[in-house]
Amino acid sequence: MIKLYIIKKAGVVMAQKKRLLVTASTFPRWAEDSEPRFVYDLCCALSQEFDVTALVPASPGAAEQEELGPVHVERYHYFPIHRYETLCSPGAIVPRIKEKKSRALLVPFLFASLWWNLWRRRHQFDAVHAHWLIPQGIVQSFVPMPYLVTGHGSDLSSLNFAPLRALKSRCLRRAGAVTVVSEKLRTIAQSLVPGLDCSVLPMGCDTSAFGPQYRQPNVFGSGEGPVVLFVGRLVPVKGVDVLLQAMARVNARLAIVGTGPQEQNLRQLAVVLGVRASFFGALPHEQLRVLYASSDCLAVSSVVLSNGYADGRPTVLPEAMASGLPVVATRSGGIPDLIHDGENGLLVPPGDAEALADALNQVLNDKDLHRRLAENGLAEAKLYDYSVVGDAYAALLQQVMEEPYV
């Protein structure tokens, strides 16, 4: 139920939605940007109940303020020389630092600027939805505003040395509500704060934006045979090197959508292994939905890194399922929360190229299995539509707004 303020203006009684501030470090820089948009999509869903403002880091070429659909976006500057504001995009903070070590010098500036922008807005909003504990959740815990914090993956599963672990614990304890996108992350959050009330609530998918109806012929160029699709950042946790090793045993083409620091090495590996791989770079949703629908299988080859970091629950999973695309994935991070082996996809051990190849060959060569996985995936994807996920987040945010902030 939508809760509204009742105000008077010029003798007319008007209803005003409560004001929600959403903070995130990954967010589209402009319309049709190829950056992950799941936070933006959730903002759009929440705008049906709240007046939503997204506060996100500035990026070269992005407007300082704009209206993206129903969402007001404000991008805060965090370094005096704006062309150096490259810590958060394209991609995520940690990979950006690994790509160029000097970007680590921007981290304290980002924390300080975010704190200042939150502090001066502390009386303007009824609640904050902070995505990722680092930096949004931790910084938010030092500003007196009611908030919900959502953990997405590495913000919980890595960087757990003592000082940062203490700051994460503070963030979780002070939050009005905590959500994570997988059961694995809930276990990690509760190890930081024993007995923590933490809900598993994944990001969703605008199922209306995907579907088999977007299939097109010859999208991948000339050539015979099925196409296996990979979508994601080209970083170690995605296990694309393992996928290439698997594809050397599969009679199919591999379409890779995404960019990242491993791209050049992966291109070379594909040549060495003799894999028919095409690198498409990063693509906006309007093009990506065509590739989903025009492929024969989605491969999610994520691995668990030595520091324990694993994927949360990749949003490519519900997107592919909503496209009618069968999924072969690894038992890594939050993936098994969504993919049920033999029902709506196939699961294999992470890092096992032979098992991954066997599963891909099963899906590509068994028409009945391919059809069953696709049909069950379509049905499962509806459970993660933002009409469902948005309502669940809205209910938690209403609760946060109603409880006194201590």
Side-chain angles (χ1 to χ4, degrees):
M1 178 179 178
I2 300 177
K3 296 193 176 182
L4 306 171
Y5 290 132
I6 304 299
I7 61 175
K8 289 185 176 181
K9 184 176 181 181
V12 178
V13 177
M14 301 177 64
Q16 182 179 3
K17 293 179 180 178
K18 287 189 174 182
R19 301 199 65 194
L20 174 67
L21 182 66
V22 176
T23 58
S25 47
T26 296
F27 199 84
R29 294 164 293 178
W30 43 76
E32 312 307 325
D33 188 15
S34 59
E35 284 294 281
R37 53 178 287 159
F38 53 87
V39 174
Y40 169 70
D41 286 337
L42 179 56
C43 286
C44 291
L46 291 173
S47 69
Q48 296 183 39
E49 282 212 39
F50 307 108
D51 181 1
V52 180
T53 295
L55 179 66
V56 296
S59 183
E64 293 184 357
Q65 294 192 38
E66 65 176 328
E67 308 300 321
L68 278 180
V71 182
H72 176 65
V73 181
E74 296 185 15
R75 296 185 177 87
Y76 63 91
H77 290 288
Y78 57 93
F79 196 70
I81 306 174
H82 296 169
R83 70 175 180 274
Y84 292 145
E85 294 175 323
T86 59
L87 179 61
C88 304
S89 60
I93 293 175
V94 172
R96 295 292 288 167
I97 292 174
K98 288 182 178 180
E99 187 179 19
K100 188 175 182 180
K101 302 292 191 220
S102 61
R103 290 194 179 110
L105 299 173
L106 295 169
V107 171
F109 291 92
L110 181 72
F111 273 68
S113 183
L114 176 57
W115 177 85
W116 167 242
N117 278 277
L118 287 169
W119 181 264
R120 66 191 183 91
R121 289 170 168 81
R122 66 191 184 280
H123 300 303
Q124 300 175 9
F125 296 91
D126 298 287
V128 177
H129 186 181
H131 289 268
W132 291 280
L133 275 70
I134 305 172
Q136 285 76 219
I138 288 174
V139 174
Q140 186 62 60
S141 71
F142 289 92
V143 181
M145 302 170 72
Y147 67 93
L148 179 157
V149 63
T150 294
H152 288 275
S154 62
D155 54 330
L156 279 166
S157 62
S158 63
L159 301 174
N160 279 321
F161 51 89
L164 200 51
R165 184 181 178 90
L167 288 171
K168 290 182 184 182
S169 298
R170 171 194 169 89
C171 164
L172 296 171
R173 288 196 308 270
R174 294 182 65 85
V178 177
T179 69
V180 292
V181 299
S182 72
E183 289 287 350
K184 176 75 172 179
L185 290 177
R186 174 156 63 181
T187 300
I188 296 173
Q190 291 176 336
S191 72
L192 291 168
V193 179
L196 177 71
D197 183 7
C198 179
S199 302
V200 177
L201 191 52
M203 294 294 100
C205 170
D206 179 5
T207 57
S208 66
F210 301 91
Q213 68 271 22
Y214 295 108
R215 186 177 182 91
Q216 295 181 12
N218 301 320
V219 169
F220 300 100
S222 60
E224 297 287 333
V227 175
V228 174
L229 179 67
F230 169 86
V231 180
R233 290 279 295 162
L234 304 184
V235 292
V237 74
K238 296 299 184 180
V240 186
D241 55 338
V242 178
L243 175 57
L244 285 169
Q245 293 167 29
M247 289 299 299
R249 302 176 172 91
V250 179
N251 185 21
R253 290 178 291 166
L254 176 63
I256 296 176
V257 177
T259 60
Q262 285 194 309
E263 181 172 347
Q264 190 56 41
N265 290 339
L266 293 172
R267 286 178 178 271
Q268 293 172 358
L269 180 59
V271 173
V272 170
L273 294 173
V275 175
R276 291 179 290 159
S278 300
F279 290 77
F280 286 79
L283 298 176
H285 267 44
E286 285 66 22
Q287 297 179 46
L288 183 54
R289 66 185 181 187
V290 174
L291 267 62
Y292 277 132
S294 305
S295 301
D296 297 283
C297 179
L298 177 79
V300 179
S301 49
S302 302
V303 297
V304 181
L305 300 184
S306 58
N307 64 0
Y309 173 44
D311 263 339
R313 190 187 294 192
T315 55
V316 299
L317 294 172
E319 291 174 354
M321 293 161 72
S323 302
L325 187 61
V327 175
V328 172
T330 57
R331 292 186 182 91
S332 173
I335 292 172
D337 290 355
L338 177 57
I339 302 300
H340 313 299
D341 190 31
E343 297 178 18
N344 61 2
L346 296 183
L347 290 175
V348 300
D352 190 334
E354 185 175 351
L356 182 58
D358 289 344
L360 289 168
N361 280 319
Q362 285 184 58
V363 172
L364 295 176
N365 297 323
D366 187 333
K367 292 183 179 180
D368 289 337
L369 176 63
H370 188 283
R371 176 186 50 77
R372 177 163 54 84
L373 296 181
E375 290 177 351
N376 291 343
L378 273 170
E380 184 83 11
K382 294 178 182 178
L383 302 177
Y384 298 93
D385 186 81
Y386 270 115
S387 63
V388 177
V389 173
D391 286 348
Y393 273 104
L396 278 176
L397 287 162
Q398 290 283 11
Q399 174 186 318
V400 169
M401 291 176 178
E402 291 170 1
E403 293 179 355
Y405 180 73
V406 180

